[in-house]
Amino acid sequence: MSFINVSHITKTFKVAQKKSGIKATLKNFIKRDYKYIEAIKDISFNIEEGSIVGFIGQNGAGKSTTIKILSGILTPDSGTVTIDGIVPWKERKEYVSKIGVVFGARSQLWWDIPAEDTFNLLKDIYKIDESKFLNRKEYLVKKLNIEDIIHIPVRQLSLGQRMRCEIAASLLHEPKILFLDEPTIGLDALSKQIVREFIKKINKEQKVTVILTTHDMSDIEALAKRIIIACKGEIVYDGQLKNLKQKFDHHKYVTVTTNTTLTKLRKKGIITQEKIQEGYKFKIDSLLLNTSDFLNYLSKKTSIEDLEIDNESLENIIINLYEESNK
């Protein structure tokens, strides 16, 4: 059995409907209208211990509801979940000692006191042995480069500094699983690099299982080899990131520098042609027209001074997957 086992979970929410206007408001006092929203329709997946998995989806795809079920906050309407042999919402007290949670938009640090004071409070909450706590804190503080900031009130820290303190706080009790929700949102390039390198380090050295939800595809590419993509409450892709790229990454972007004016090129495989300041940018479908054939064709039409070839971005690949799933 895998470390995380999710089998056919569903979740529906009952939402009150309210129209604008005095008449509609008075009607709501007598009888309310409701609609039912299927946040999760039938989701199943397994995750091995020590993995880093990206769990992504558009707003309303069901990923947040799934994560809340995995973290024990919500109970599914049907289906089963076991994580390290525990049902999260049934054995909540035992389970919370095994997980760490970081929400980029929310803080577990006390705003008006230094992060170190929150660390000491968490030591008491999780009943961590003093010597073990000091060793763990020293390790986290050093690796996340927060030695000089844990004595400063949290409200005075930059977003990047606060996020590194948040990650340290979530790992003080040495959890087996780390849930990361938008861990680098709004961070500068240096802070992003520190956070990403640290996540990879604890995953490799301590076998911490990481489930990452984010809209930043650079986080996914930097950290996760496997991704699970949700769309309208269902899983539309579960597999290796490289396999997803191979399946959908057949669009190439060719930028050429040229002084020649080109008329609209009409050849099978050329999707778009855009005039830019120093030349043209083309989008081609390599399944219909490979790059070398396109360049041979183009060289007969114009004098190429320089060129640049780019692959489809991961973000666009996922958009293409969503569009295919909605057909």
Side-chain angles (χ1 to χ4, degrees):
M1 182 177 287
S2 299
F3 185 64
I4 297 175
N5 300 276
V6 178
S7 180
H8 301 289
I9 58 172
T10 65
K11 186 68 179 179
T12 300
F13 293 102
K14 182 181 180 181
V15 181
Q17 298 293 288
K18 186 175 184 288
K19 296 181 180 179
S20 60
I22 296 176
K23 187 175 180 181
T25 301
L26 293 173
K27 183 181 177 182
N28 279 330
F29 280 112
I30 302 170
K31 182 182 178 181
R32 282 197 172 189
D33 294 325
Y34 295 90
K35 73 173 182 178
Y36 294 87
I37 299 175
E38 287 185 287
I40 302 175
K41 296 178 181 177
D42 184 5
I43 285 181
S44 299
F45 57 83
N46 298 320
I47 295 175
E48 300 299 326
E49 187 172 10
S51 304
I52 299 181
V53 178
F55 190 72
I56 61 178
Q58 297 170 309
N59 293 333
K63 66 181 187 300
S64 295
T65 302
T66 303
I67 294 300
K68 287 176 181 178
I69 290 173
L70 293 183
S71 58
I73 297 172
L74 290 178
T75 302
D77 297 331
S78 62
T80 60
V81 176
T82 57
I83 300 179
D84 196 22
I86 295 174
V87 178
W89 56 90
K90 288 184 178 180
E91 301 163 84
R92 179 74 176 152
K93 189 173 182 179
E94 180 183 357
Y95 181 62
V96 293
S97 67
K98 294 177 177 286
I99 68 172
V101 181
V102 177
F103 292 111
R106 301 189 185 103
S107 178
Q108 64 181 317
L109 301 173
W110 285 49
W111 195 246
D112 293 313
I113 63 175
E116 188 172 37
D117 289 352
T118 300
F119 295 169
N120 292 328
L121 177 62
L122 291 170
K123 175 181 78 72
D124 295 333
I125 291 172
Y126 287 107
K127 299 178 181 179
I128 307 171
D129 176 77
E130 181 72 22
S131 61
K132 190 175 182 180
F133 167 74
L134 291 175
N135 289 334
R136 182 66 170 174
K137 184 178 75 170
E138 182 182 4
Y139 169 83
L140 294 170
V141 165
K142 183 177 180 180
K143 295 299 181 184
L144 285 163
N145 193 23
I146 56 175
E147 297 100 322
D148 298 331
I149 63 174
I150 59 172
H151 308 294
I152 301 172
V154 171
R155 57 183 166 77
Q156 295 180 16
L157 300 180
S158 69
L159 181 59
Q161 292 171 331
R162 180 174 67 78
M163 185 53 61
R164 281 180 274 155
C165 291
E166 292 277 2
I167 293 173
S170 70
L171 291 167
L172 282 169
H173 58 295
E174 299 187 58
K176 291 186 175 183
I177 313 159
L178 181 61
F179 293 100
L180 295 174
D181 181 29
E182 302 287 1
T184 65
I185 187 170
L187 302 193
D188 60 82
L190 178 59
S191 294
K192 281 187 178 185
Q193 182 181 2
I194 293 172
V195 168
R196 289 169 181 169
E197 289 302 317
F198 176 74
I199 292 168
K200 287 191 285 188
K201 193 172 188 67
I202 62 164
N203 169 255
K204 183 178 180 180
E205 294 182 354
Q206 301 177 16
K207 303 301 180 186
V208 176
T209 304
V210 179
I211 299 179
L212 169 67
T213 60
T214 180
H215 290 289
D216 188 340
M217 292 303 102
S218 60
D219 280 347
I220 296 294
E221 292 188 281
L223 295 170
K225 292 183 179 179
R226 174 187 171 193
I227 61 171
I228 299 172
I229 303 176
C231 181
K232 295 183 178 179
E234 298 177 306
I235 301 297
V236 295
Y237 182 83
D238 180 1
Q240 296 295 305
L241 178 59
K242 64 179 181 180
N243 293 341
L244 178 67
K245 288 183 174 181
Q246 288 172 359
K247 182 178 180 181
F248 289 94
D249 189 16
H250 53 86
H251 290 158
K252 304 293 181 184
Y253 295 85
V254 181
T255 303
V256 295
T257 301
T258 179
N259 292 321
T260 308
T261 300
L262 284 171
T263 58
K264 180 72 173 179
L265 300 181
R266 302 187 182 279
K267 185 173 180 63
K268 189 175 183 181
I270 300 176
I271 301 172
T272 60
Q273 175 181 327
E274 176 188 357
K275 180 71 176 74
I276 58 176
Q277 186 174 3
E278 297 180 349
Y280 294 86
K281 185 173 183 178
F282 299 89
K283 179 180 179 180
I284 65 171
D285 186 339
S286 61
L287 297 179
L288 302 175
L289 177 63
N290 67 53
T291 308
S292 60
D293 287 344
F294 170 70
L295 292 176
N296 287 334
Y297 168 77
L298 188 61
S299 64
K300 297 174 183 178
K301 302 288 185 179
T302 185
S303 175
I304 300 175
E305 297 177 12
D306 196 7
L307 68 89
E308 182 178 330
I309 302 173
D310 294 313
N311 294 323
E312 188 76 270
S313 68
L314 178 58
E315 185 173 2
N316 284 341
I317 289 173
I318 292 173
I319 290 171
N320 291 336
L321 178 60
Y322 287 146
E323 291 175 348
E324 184 179 275
S325 300
N326 289 327
K327 288 180 181 178

